[in-house]
């Protein structure tokens, strides 16, 4: 047997063992919200819709369908100021100003679970770049974000298959320029910023042009 094949088999076996373990342990945060919890979450989320819906021109990203663990982590960062307090990052500061809506862990949990239950919204691409070059550049992202942008909870790397393309580009630019992932306690953000060290401004657009295809791949995977 070739080394590559052996490695592949061990990877698949590890993944199967992990899934089995996750199914046996059962993650409480993955249970569906009860009608009472959903009603409570809707009230909390009302205040988020001012920025996280398509109604306003000056708006934040659409976050519907982000996984529970990622939203939880980001809201914790916004709450503690590890994200959202950088004076150079105006849009993050906007989000930082919403902190009083999720002061308790219970509120964060409820919001994260509610956001994960909201259906992902398809978007029309607006970013232009060279997707062929982007695919080559994306090879370096696969270990953390997955070949189809599906994300990796263990590595705290979010999926990249549901955010709008302009937001992906915006965040890449922020990581690359030290506006996100700069705080000494932002372990994940620092790792991410480091991953862009070898990529220039055109490369960021090319990456996003390639990542636009992830939303179709996500739909195909969901249909299987
Ligand atoms: C005043 C506008 C505003 C309000 C209100 C607001 N947000 Fe945000 N939010 C933003 C902006 C802008 C960003 C993008 C920040 C950036 O550029 O990094 C953001 C980012 C986020 C992110 C990170 C998304 C990612 O992919 O990393 C999450 C999660 C989030 N908001 C959740 C919420 C929740 C939950 C609420 C309500 C309790 C809320 N926001 C209220 C403007 C807002
Ligand atoms: C070492 C692992 C690692 C590598 C390699 C990596 N990332 Fe990340 N990435 C992360 C982590 C962890 C986060 C979450 C950071 C945080 O918590 O703020 C992230 C966040 C992001 C985000 C922000 C998503 C959002 O919703 O705000 C984008 C976009 C992104 N990565 C794209 C890429 C691209 C493109 C590459 C390849 C050039 C790449 N990443 C390489 C680990 C990685």
């Amino acid at each position: 047997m070739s080394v590559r094949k052996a490695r592949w088999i061990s990877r698949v076996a590890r993944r199967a063992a992990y899934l089995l373990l996750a199914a046996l342990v059962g993650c409480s945060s993955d249970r569906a919200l009860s009608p009472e919890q959903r009603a409570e979450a809707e009230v909390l989320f009302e205040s988020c819709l001012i920025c996280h819906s398509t109604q306003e021109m000056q708006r934040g990203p659409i976050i519907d369908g982000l996984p529970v663990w990622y939203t939880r982590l980001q809201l914790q960062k916004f709450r503690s100021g590890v994200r959202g307090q950088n004076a150079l990052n105006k849009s993050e500061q906007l989000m930082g100003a919403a902190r009083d809506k999720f002061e308790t862990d219970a509120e964060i949990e409820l919001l994260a679970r509610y956001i994960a239950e909201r259906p992902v919204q398809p978007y029309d691409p607006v970013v232009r770049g060279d997707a062929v070059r982007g695919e080559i550049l994306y090879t370096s992202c696969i270990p953390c974000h997955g070949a189809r942008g599906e994300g990796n909870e263990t590595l705290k790397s979010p999926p990249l298959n549901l955010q709008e393309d302009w937001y992906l580009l915006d965040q890449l630019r922020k990581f690359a320029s030290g506006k996100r992932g700069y705080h000494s306690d932002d372990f994940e953000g620092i790792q991410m910023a480091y991953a862009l060290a070898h990529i220039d401004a055109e490369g960021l657009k090319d990456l996003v042009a390639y990542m636009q295809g992830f939303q179709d791949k996500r739909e195909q995977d969901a249909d299987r």
Side-chain angles (χ1 to χ4, degrees), residues 9 33-34 87 109 145 148 180 186 190 206 211 220 222:
I9 291 174
L33 292 169
S34 69
E109 207 56 31
H145 292 285
R148 301 164 80 83
R180 182 174 169 191
D186 191 1
I190 290 171
D206 299 340
M211 293 193 286
Q220 288 159 13

Side-chain angles (χ1 to χ4, degrees), residues 70 73-74 77 140-141 144-145 155-158 160 163 167-168 171-172 175 180 188-189 191-192 195-196 199 207 211:
Y70 178 70
L73 180 66
Q74 298 309 309
K77 287 185 188 188
S140 68
C141 325
C144 295
H145 292 285
L155 299 176
K156 305 253 188 356
S157 308
L160 304 172
Q163 303 92 326
Y167 174 73
L168 291 172
Q171 296 305 302
L172 290 180
F175 279 119
R180 182 174 169 191
E188 299 82 13
Q191 250 189 326
M192 175 54 215
L196 297 178
I199 301 174
L207 273 166
M211 293 193 286

Side-chain angles (χ1 to χ4, degrees), residues 44-45 47-48 50-52 59-61 63 66 70-71 74-75 78 83 89 91-92 94-95 98 101-102 111 115 163 167 170-171 174 180:
L44 278 177
F45 198 66
S47 68
C48 320
I50 306 168
C51 300
H52 292 289
R59 65 173 175 91
I63 51 179
L66 281 176
Y70 178 70
T71 302
Q74 298 309 309
L75 292 183
F78 283 117
R83 189 176 167 191
N89 191 344
S91 55
E92 260 193 13
L94 271 181
M95 178 54 207
K101 294 292 183 300
F102 45 89
L111 281 166
I115 289 165
Q163 303 92 326
Y167 174 73
D170 182 60
Q171 296 305 302
K174 285 176 179 167
R180 182 174 169 191

Side-chain angles (χ1 to χ4, degrees), residues 25 38 45 69 73 82 85 87 89 105 112 144 152 160 169 172 174 179 181 194 201 216-218 224:
V25 174
R38 187 163 303 112
F45 198 66
W69 60 268
L73 180 66
V82 162
Q85 297 300 309
N89 191 344
D105 287 347
C144 295
N152 184 322
L160 304 172
L169 181 60
L172 290 180
K174 285 176 179 167
K179 290 185 185 145
Y194 188 73
D216 291 337
K217 291 180 176 156
R218 188 200 62 242
R224 275 214 198 117

Side-chain angles (χ1 to χ4, degrees), residues 99-117:
R99 280 201 287 184
D100 61 336
K101 294 292 183 300
F102 45 89
E103 281 168 345
T104 69
D105 287 347
E107 282 164 340
I108 288 188
E109 207 56 31
L110 204 57
L111 281 166
R113 287 172 63 188
Y114 177 72
I115 289 165
E117 281 189 16

Side-chain angles (χ1 to χ4, degrees), residues 116-145:
E117 281 189 16
R118 289 172 67 88
V120 173
Q121 298 186 33
Y123 66 85
D124 292 324
V126 292
V127 175
R128 284 161 183 242
D130 179 349
V132 175
R133 183 160 174 255
E135 180 170 12
I136 298 167
L137 289 171
Y138 189 78
T139 335
S140 68
C141 325
I142 293 178
C144 295
H145 292 285

